[in-house]
Amino acid sequence: ADVNLARVQLDSYLRTVEDNPAAIVNLMMDRAIAGREETVAQTRARLTAITRDDVIDAGKRLVLDTVYTLGRS
């Protein structure tokens, strides 16, 4: 259920990007910096193909490199 909710929210964001020229430019610039050349439609298509197992597998590859602690100053 959480994966589906995240998918719906991301798809909603991408649909709003398609209606906003400034957001399109911003998204495309971010992608160019990251070395990704993918249209919003292609991203939306890839997003629909992500499964719960894909998310679990990605989580297993994460490496914790920073730990923040909260304390009194």
Side-chain angles (χ1 to χ4, degrees):
D2 291 336
V3 172
N4 289 333
L5 178 59
R7 184 183 295 120
V8 167
Q9 290 174 335
L10 287 169
D11 189 60
S12 176
Y13 163 73
L14 290 170
R15 280 187 281 124
T16 62
V17 165
E18 290 176 316
D19 294 333
N20 183 331
I24 292 171
V25 169
N26 190 29
L27 184 64
M28 297 311 270
M29 185 180 308
D30 288 346
R31 289 179 178 185
I33 291 169
R36 296 192 73 152
E37 294 184 20
E38 185 175 76
T39 66
V40 173
Q42 289 169 323
T43 301
R44 289 181 66 204
R46 277 191 328 110
L47 181 63
T48 61
I50 294 173
T51 66
R52 179 180 182 273
D53 290 336
D54 292 333
V55 175
I56 291 169
D57 290 341
K60 289 177 182 177
R61 291 192 304 268
L62 292 177
V63 178
L64 182 64
D65 67 352
T66 305
V67 176
Y68 294 95
T69 57
L70 300 175
R72 294 183 179 174
S73 306

Coordinates of all heavy atoms in Angstrom, one line a residue:
A1 N 0.8 -1.2 0.0 CA 0.0 0.0 0.0 C 0.9 1.3 0.0 O 0.6 2.2 -0.7 CB -0.9 0.0 1.2
D2 N 1.9 1.3 0.8 CA 2.8 2.4 0.8 C 3.5 2.7 -0.5 O 3.7 3.8 -0.9 CB 3.9 2.3 1.9 CG 3.3 2.3 3.3 OD1 2.2 2.9 3.5 OD2 3.9 1.8 4.2
V3 N 3.9 1.6 -1.2 CA 4.5 1.8 -2.5 C 3.5 2.3 -3.5 O 3.9 3.2 -4.3 CB 5.1 0.4 -3.0 CG1 5.5 0.5 -4.4 CG2 6.2 -0.1 -2.1
N4 N 2.3 1.9 -3.5 CA 1.3 2.4 -4.4 C 1.0 3.9 -4.1 O 0.8 4.7 -5.0 CB 0.0 1.6 -4.3 CG 0.1 0.3 -4.9 OD1 0.9 0.1 -5.8 ND2 -0.6 -0.7 -4.4
L5 N 0.9 4.3 -2.8 CA 0.7 5.7 -2.4 C 1.9 6.5 -2.9 O 1.6 7.6 -3.5 CB 0.5 5.8 -0.9 CG 0.3 7.2 -0.4 CD1 -0.9 7.8 -1.0 CD2 0.3 7.2 1.2
A6 N 3.1 6.1 -2.7 CA 4.2 6.8 -3.2 C 4.2 7.0 -4.7 O 4.5 8.1 -5.2 CB 5.5 6.1 -2.7
R7 N 3.8 5.9 -5.4 CA 3.7 5.9 -6.8 C 2.7 7.0 -7.3 O 3.0 7.8 -8.2 CB 3.4 4.6 -7.4 CG 3.4 4.5 -8.9 CD 3.0 3.1 -9.4 NE 3.9 2.1 -9.0 CZ 3.7 1.0 -8.3 NH1 2.4 0.8 -7.9 NH2 4.6 0.2 -8.0
V8 N 1.6 7.0 -6.7 CA 0.5 7.9 -7.0 C 0.9 9.4 -6.8 O 0.7 10.2 -7.6 CB -0.8 7.6 -6.2 CG1 -1.8 8.7 -6.3 CG2 -1.4 6.3 -6.7
Q9 N 1.6 9.6 -5.6 CA 2.1 10.9 -5.3 C 3.1 11.4 -6.3 O 3.1 12.6 -6.7 CB 2.6 11.0 -3.9 CG 1.5 10.9 -2.8 CD 2.0 10.8 -1.4 OE1 3.1 10.3 -1.2 NE2 1.2 11.1 -0.5
L10 N 4.1 10.6 -6.6 CA 5.1 10.9 -7.6 C 4.5 11.2 -9.0 O 4.9 12.1 -9.7 CB 6.2 9.9 -7.6 CG 7.1 9.8 -6.4 CD1 8.0 8.6 -6.5 CD2 8.0 11.1 -6.4
D11 N 3.6 10.3 -9.4 CA 3.0 10.5 -10.7 C 2.2 11.8 -10.7 O 2.2 12.6 -11.7 CB 2.0 9.3 -11.0 CG 1.5 9.4 -12.4 OD1 2.4 9.4 -13.3 OD2 0.3 9.5 -12.6
S12 N 1.5 12.2 -9.6 CA 0.8 13.4 -9.5 C 1.7 14.6 -9.7 O 1.5 15.6 -10.4 CB 0.0 13.5 -8.2 OG -0.6 14.7 -8.1
Y13 N 2.9 14.5 -9.0 CA 3.9 15.6 -9.1 C 4.4 15.7 -10.5 O 4.5 16.8 -11.1 CB 5.1 15.3 -8.2 CG 6.3 16.1 -8.6 CD1 6.4 17.4 -8.3 CD2 7.4 15.5 -9.2 CE1 7.5 18.2 -8.6 CE2 8.5 16.2 -9.6 CZ 8.6 17.5 -9.3 OH 9.7 18.3 -9.7
L14 N 4.7 14.6 -11.2 CA 5.1 14.6 -12.6 C 4.1 15.2 -13.5 O 4.4 15.9 -14.5 CB 5.6 13.2 -13.0 CG 6.9 12.7 -12.3 CD1 7.1 11.3 -12.7 CD2 8.1 13.6 -12.7
R15 N 2.8 14.9 -13.3 CA 1.8 15.5 -14.1 C 1.7 17.0 -13.9 O 1.5 17.7 -14.9 CB 0.4 14.8 -13.8 CG 0.3 13.5 -14.5 CD -1.1 12.9 -14.3 NE -1.2 12.3 -13.0 CZ -2.1 12.6 -12.1 NH1 -3.1 13.5 -12.3 NH2 -2.1 12.0 -10.9
T16 N 1.9 17.5 -12.7 CA 1.9 18.9 -12.5 C 3.1 19.6 -13.2 O 3.0 20.7 -13.6 CB 1.9 19.3 -11.0 OG1 3.0 18.8 -10.3 CG2 0.6 18.8 -10.3
V17 N 4.2 18.9 -13.2 CA 5.4 19.4 -13.9 C 5.1 19.6 -15.3 O 5.5 20.6 -15.9 CB 6.6 18.4 -13.7 CG1 7.7 18.8 -14.6 CG2 7.1 18.5 -12.2
E18 N 4.4 18.7 -15.9 CA 4.1 18.8 -17.4 C 3.3 20.0 -17.7 O 3.3 20.5 -18.8 CB 3.3 17.5 -17.8 CG 4.2 16.3 -17.9 CD 3.4 15.1 -18.2 OE1 2.3 14.9 -17.7 OE2 3.9 14.3 -19.1
D19 N 2.6 20.6 -16.7 CA 1.7 21.8 -16.9 C 2.4 23.1 -16.5 O 1.8 24.1 -16.6 CB 0.4 21.7 -16.1 CG -0.4 20.5 -16.6 OD1 -0.3 20.2 -17.8 OD2 -1.2 20.0 -15.8
N20 N 3.7 23.0 -16.1 CA 4.4 24.2 -15.6 C 5.7 24.3 -16.4 O 6.7 23.6 -16.1 CB 4.6 24.1 -14.1 CG 5.3 25.3 -13.5 OD1 6.0 26.0 -14.1 ND2 4.9 25.5 -12.3
P21 N 5.9 25.3 -17.3 CA 7.1 25.4 -18.1 C 8.3 25.6 -17.2 O 9.4 25.0 -17.5 CB 6.9 26.6 -19.0 CG 5.4 26.7 -19.1 CD 4.8 26.2 -17.8
A22 N 8.2 26.4 -16.1 CA 9.4 26.6 -15.3 C 9.8 25.3 -14.6 O 11.0 25.0 -14.4 CB 9.1 27.7 -14.2
A23 N 8.8 24.5 -14.2 CA 9.1 23.2 -13.5 C 9.7 22.2 -14.5 O 10.6 21.5 -14.1 CB 7.8 22.6 -12.9
I24 N 9.3 22.3 -15.7 CA 9.9 21.4 -16.8 C 11.4 21.8 -16.9 O 12.3 20.9 -17.0 CB 9.2 21.5 -18.1 CG1 7.8 20.9 -18.0 CG2 10.0 20.8 -19.2 CD1 6.9 21.2 -19.2
V25 N 11.7 23.1 -17.0 CA 13.1 23.5 -17.2 C 13.9 23.1 -16.0 O 15.0 22.6 -16.1 CB 13.1 25.0 -17.4 CG1 14.6 25.5 -17.3 CG2 12.5 25.4 -18.7
N26 N 13.4 23.3 -14.8 CA 14.1 22.9 -13.6 C 14.3 21.4 -13.5 O 15.5 20.9 -13.3 CB 13.3 23.3 -12.4 CG 14.0 23.2 -11.1 OD1 15.3 23.3 -11.0 ND2 13.3 22.9 -10.0
L27 N 13.3 20.6 -13.9 CA 13.5 19.1 -13.9 C 14.5 18.7 -14.9 O 15.4 17.9 -14.6 CB 12.1 18.5 -14.1 CG 12.1 16.9 -14.1 CD1 12.5 16.4 -12.7 CD2 10.8 16.4 -14.5
M28 N 14.4 19.3 -16.1 CA 15.4 18.9 -17.1 C 16.8 19.3 -16.8 O 17.8 18.6 -17.1 CB 14.9 19.5 -18.5 CG 13.6 18.9 -19.0 SD 13.4 17.1 -18.9 CE 14.0 16.7 -20.5
M29 N 17.0 20.4 -16.1 CA 18.3 20.9 -15.7 C 18.9 19.9 -14.7 O 20.0 19.5 -14.7 CB 18.3 22.3 -15.1 CG 19.7 22.8 -14.8 SD 19.7 24.5 -14.1 CE 18.8 25.4 -15.3
D30 N 18.0 19.5 -13.7 CA 18.5 18.6 -12.7 C 18.9 17.3 -13.4 O 19.9 16.7 -13.0 CB 17.3 18.3 -11.7 CG 17.1 19.4 -10.8 OD1 17.9 20.4 -10.7 OD2 16.0 19.4 -10.1
R31 N 18.1 16.8 -14.4 CA 18.5 15.6 -15.1 C 19.8 15.7 -15.9 O 20.6 14.8 -15.9 CB 17.3 15.2 -16.0 CG 16.2 14.7 -15.1 CD 15.0 14.3 -16.0 NE 13.9 13.8 -15.1 CZ 12.8 13.3 -15.5 NH1 12.6 13.2 -16.8 NH2 11.9 12.9 -14.7
A32 N 20.0 16.9 -16.5 CA 21.2 17.1 -17.2 C 22.4 17.0 -16.3 O 23.4 16.4 -16.6 CB 21.1 18.4 -18.0
I33 N 22.3 17.7 -15.1 CA 23.4 17.6 -14.2 C 23.6 16.2 -13.7 O 24.8 15.8 -13.5 CB 23.0 18.6 -13.0 CG1 23.1 20.0 -13.4 CG2 24.0 18.3 -11.8 CD1 22.5 21.0 -12.4
A34 N 22.6 15.4 -13.6 CA 22.7 14.0 -13.1 C 23.1 13.1 -14.2 O 23.4 11.9 -14.0 CB 21.4 13.6 -12.5
G35 N 23.2 13.6 -15.5 CA 23.5 12.8 -16.6 C 22.4 11.9 -17.1 O 22.7 10.9 -17.7
R36 N 21.2 12.2 -16.8 CA 20.0 11.4 -17.3 C 19.3 12.2 -18.3 O 18.9 13.4 -18.1 CB 19.1 11.2 -16.1 CG 19.7 10.3 -15.0 CD 18.7 9.9 -14.1 NE 17.9 8.8 -14.8 CZ 17.3 7.9 -14.2 NH1 17.3 7.8 -12.9 NH2 16.6 7.0 -14.8
E37 N 19.0 11.6 -19.4 CA 18.2 12.2 -20.5 C 17.0 11.3 -20.6 O 16.9 10.3 -21.3 CB 19.0 12.2 -21.8 CG 20.2 13.1 -21.7 CD 20.9 13.2 -23.0 OE1 20.3 12.9 -24.1 OE2 22.1 13.6 -23.0
E38 N 15.9 11.8 -19.9 CA 14.7 11.1 -19.9 C 13.5 12.1 -19.9 O 13.6 13.0 -19.1 CB 14.7 10.2 -18.7 CG 13.5 9.3 -18.5 CD 13.7 8.4 -17.3 OE1 13.5 8.8 -16.2 OE2 14.0 7.2 -17.5
T39 N 12.5 11.8 -20.6 CA 11.4 12.7 -20.6 C 10.5 12.4 -19.4 O 10.6 11.4 -18.8 CB 10.5 12.6 -21.9 OG1 9.9 11.3 -21.9 CG2 11.3 12.8 -23.2
V40 N 9.6 13.4 -19.1 CA 8.7 13.2 -18.0 C 7.8 11.9 -18.3 O 7.6 11.1 -17.4 CB 7.8 14.4 -17.8 CG1 6.7 14.1 -16.8 CG2 8.6 15.6 -17.4
A41 N 7.4 11.7 -19.5 CA 6.6 10.6 -19.9 C 7.4 9.3 -19.7 O 6.8 8.3 -19.2 CB 6.1 10.7 -21.4
Q42 N 8.6 9.3 -20.0 CA 9.5 8.1 -19.8 C 9.6 7.8 -18.3 O 9.6 6.6 -17.8 CB 10.8 8.3 -20.4 CG 10.8 8.2 -21.9 CD 12.1 8.7 -22.5 OE1 12.8 9.6 -22.0 NE2 12.5 8.0 -23.6
T43 N 9.8 8.8 -17.5 CA 9.9 8.7 -16.0 C 8.6 8.1 -15.5 O 8.6 7.2 -14.6 CB 10.2 10.0 -15.4 OG1 11.4 10.5 -15.9 CG2 10.3 9.8 -13.8
R44 N 7.4 8.6 -15.9 CA 6.2 8.1 -15.5 C 6.0 6.7 -15.8 O 5.5 5.9 -15.1 CB 5.0 9.0 -16.0 CG 5.0 10.4 -15.4 CD 3.9 11.2 -16.0 NE 2.6 10.6 -15.5 CZ 1.4 10.8 -16.2 NH1 1.4 11.6 -17.3 NH2 0.3 10.3 -15.8
A45 N 6.4 6.3 -17.0 CA 6.3 4.9 -17.4 C 7.2 4.0 -16.6 O 6.8 2.9 -16.1 CB 6.7 4.7 -18.9
R46 N 8.4 4.4 -16.3 CA 9.3 3.7 -15.4 C 8.7 3.6 -14.0 O 8.8 2.5 -13.3 CB 10.7 4.3 -15.3 CG 11.6 3.9 -16.4 CD 13.1 4.3 -16.2 NE 13.3 5.5 -15.5 CZ 13.8 5.5 -14.3 NH1 14.2 4.4 -13.7 NH2 14.1 6.7 -13.7
L47 N 8.1 4.6 -13.5 CA 7.5 4.7 -12.2 C 6.4 3.6 -12.0 O 6.3 2.9 -11.0 CB 7.0 6.1 -11.9 CG 6.3 6.3 -10.6 CD1 7.3 6.2 -9.5 CD2 5.7 7.7 -10.6
T48 N 5.6 3.4 -13.1 CA 4.5 2.4 -13.0 C 5.1 1.0 -12.9 O 4.4 0.1 -12.5 CB 3.5 2.6 -14.1 OG1 4.2 2.4 -15.4 CG2 2.9 4.0 -14.1
A49 N 6.3 0.8 -13.4 CA 6.9 -0.5 -13.4 C 7.6 -0.9 -12.1 O 7.9 -2.1 -11.9 CB 7.9 -0.6 -14.5
I50 N 7.7 0.0 -11.2 CA 8.4 -0.3 -9.9 C 7.5 -1.1 -9.0 O 6.4 -0.8 -8.8 CB 8.8 1.0 -9.2 CG1 9.9 1.8 -10.0 CG2 9.4 0.8 -7.8 CD1 10.2 3.2 -9.5
T51 N 8.1 -2.2 -8.5 CA 7.4 -3.1 -7.6 C 7.9 -2.9 -6.1 O 8.9 -2.3 -5.9 CB 7.6 -4.5 -8.0 OG1 9.0 -4.9 -7.8 CG2 7.2 -4.8 -9.4
R52 N 7.1 -3.5 -5.2 CA 7.5 -3.5 -3.8 C 8.9 -4.1 -3.6 O 9.7 -3.6 -2.9 CB 6.5 -4.2 -3.0 CG 6.7 -4.3 -1.5 CD 5.6 -5.1 -0.8 NE 5.8 -5.1 0.6 CZ 6.6 -6.1 1.2 NH1 7.1 -7.0 0.5 NH2 6.7 -6.1 2.5
D53 N 9.1 -5.2 -4.4 CA 10.4 -5.9 -4.3 C 11.6 -5.0 -4.8 O 12.7 -5.1 -4.3 CB 10.4 -7.2 -5.1 CG 9.5 -8.3 -4.4 OD1 9.3 -8.2 -3.1 OD2 9.0 -9.1 -5.1
D54 N 11.3 -4.2 -5.8 CA 12.3 -3.3 -6.3 C 12.7 -2.3 -5.2 O 13.9 -2.0 -5.0 CB 11.8 -2.5 -7.5 CG 11.6 -3.3 -8.7 OD1 12.3 -4.3 -8.9 OD2 10.7 -2.9 -9.6
V55 N 11.7 -1.8 -4.5 CA 12.0 -0.8 -3.4 C 12.8 -1.5 -2.3 O 13.8 -1.0 -1.7 CB 10.7 -0.3 -2.8 CG1 10.9 0.6 -1.6 CG2 9.9 0.5 -3.9
I56 N 12.4 -2.7 -1.9 CA 13.2 -3.5 -0.9 C 14.6 -3.7 -1.3 O 15.5 -3.5 -0.5 CB 12.4 -4.8 -0.6 CG1 11.1 -4.5 0.1 CG2 13.3 -5.7 0.2 CD1 10.2 -5.7 0.2
D57 N 14.8 -4.1 -2.6 CA 16.2 -4.4 -3.1 C 17.0 -3.1 -3.1 O 18.2 -3.1 -2.7 CB 16.1 -4.9 -4.5 CG 15.6 -6.3 -4.6 OD1 15.6 -7.0 -3.5 OD2 15.2 -6.8 -5.7
A58 N 16.4 -1.9 -3.4 CA 17.1 -0.7 -3.4 C 17.5 -0.3 -2.0 O 18.6 0.2 -1.7 CB 16.3 0.4 -4.0
G59 N 16.6 -0.5 -1.0 CA 16.8 -0.3 0.4 C 18.0 -1.1 0.9 O 18.8 -0.6 1.7
K60 N 18.2 -2.3 0.4 CA 19.3 -3.1 0.9 C 20.6 -2.6 0.4 O 21.6 -2.9 1.0 CB 19.0 -4.6 0.4 CG 17.9 -5.3 1.1 CD 17.7 -6.7 0.6 CE 16.5 -7.3 1.2 NZ 16.2 -8.7 0.7
R61 N 20.6 -1.8 -0.7 CA 21.9 -1.3 -1.2 C 22.3 0.0 -0.6 O 23.4 0.5 -0.8 CB 21.8 -1.2 -2.7 CG 21.7 -2.5 -3.5 CD 21.8 -2.3 -5.0 NE 20.9 -1.4 -5.5 CZ 19.7 -1.7 -6.0 NH1 19.3 -3.0 -6.0 NH2 18.9 -0.8 -6.6
L62 N 21.4 0.6 0.2 CA 21.7 1.9 0.9 C 22.8 1.7 1.9 O 22.9 0.7 2.6 CB 20.5 2.5 1.5 CG 19.4 3.0 0.6 CD1 18.2 3.5 1.4 CD2 19.9 4.1 -0.3
V63 N 23.7 2.7 2.0 CA 24.8 2.6 3.0 C 24.7 3.9 3.8 O 24.7 5.0 3.3 CB 26.2 2.6 2.2 CG1 27.3 2.6 3.2 CG2 26.3 1.4 1.3
L64 N 24.6 3.7 5.1 CA 24.5 4.8 6.1 C 25.9 5.4 6.2 O 26.9 4.7 6.5 CB 24.0 4.3 7.4 CG 23.9 5.3 8.5 CD1 22.8 6.3 8.1 CD2 23.5 4.7 9.8
D65 N 26.0 6.7 5.9 CA 27.3 7.3 6.0 C 27.4 8.5 6.9 O 28.4 9.1 7.2 CB 27.8 7.7 4.6 CG 27.0 8.9 4.0 OD1 26.0 9.2 4.5 OD2 27.4 9.4 2.9
T66 N 26.2 8.9 7.5 CA 26.2 10.0 8.4 C 25.1 9.7 9.5 O 24.1 9.2 9.2 CB 25.7 11.3 7.7 OG1 26.6 11.5 6.6 CG2 25.8 12.5 8.6
V67 N 25.5 10.0 10.7 CA 24.6 9.8 11.8 C 24.5 11.1 12.5 O 25.5 11.8 12.9 CB 25.1 8.7 12.8 CG1 24.2 8.6 14.0 CG2 25.2 7.4 12.1
Y68 N 23.2 11.6 12.7 CA 23.0 12.8 13.4 C 22.4 12.5 14.8 O 21.6 11.6 14.9 CB 21.9 13.7 12.6 CG 22.4 14.2 11.3 CD1 22.2 13.5 10.1 CD2 23.2 15.3 11.2 CE1 22.7 13.9 8.9 CE2 23.7 15.8 10.0 CZ 23.4 15.1 8.9 OH 23.9 15.5 7.6
T69 N 22.9 13.2 15.8 CA 22.3 13.1 17.1 C 21.8 14.4 17.6 O 22.3 15.4 17.2 CB 23.3 12.5 18.1 OG1 24.4 13.4 18.1 CG2 23.9 11.2 17.7
L70 N 20.7 14.3 18.3 CA 20.1 15.6 18.8 C 20.5 15.7 20.3 O 20.4 14.7 21.0 CB 18.5 15.5 18.6 CG 18.0 15.4 17.2 CD1 16.5 15.3 17.2 CD2 18.4 16.6 16.4
G71 N 20.9 16.8 20.6 CA 21.3 17.0 22.0 C 21.1 18.5 22.4 O 20.8 19.3 21.6
R72 N 21.4 18.8 23.6 CA 21.3 20.2 24.1 C 22.5 20.9 23.7 O 23.6 20.4 23.7 CB 21.1 20.2 25.6 CG 19.8 19.6 26.0 CD 19.7 19.7 27.5 NE 18.4 19.1 27.9 CZ 18.0 19.0 29.1 NH1 18.8 19.3 30.1 NH2 16.8 18.5 29.3
S73 N 22.3 22.2 23.3 CA 23.4 23.0 22.9 C 24.0 23.7 24.1 O 23.4 24.1 25.0 CB 23.0 24.1 21.9 OG 22.3 23.5 20.9

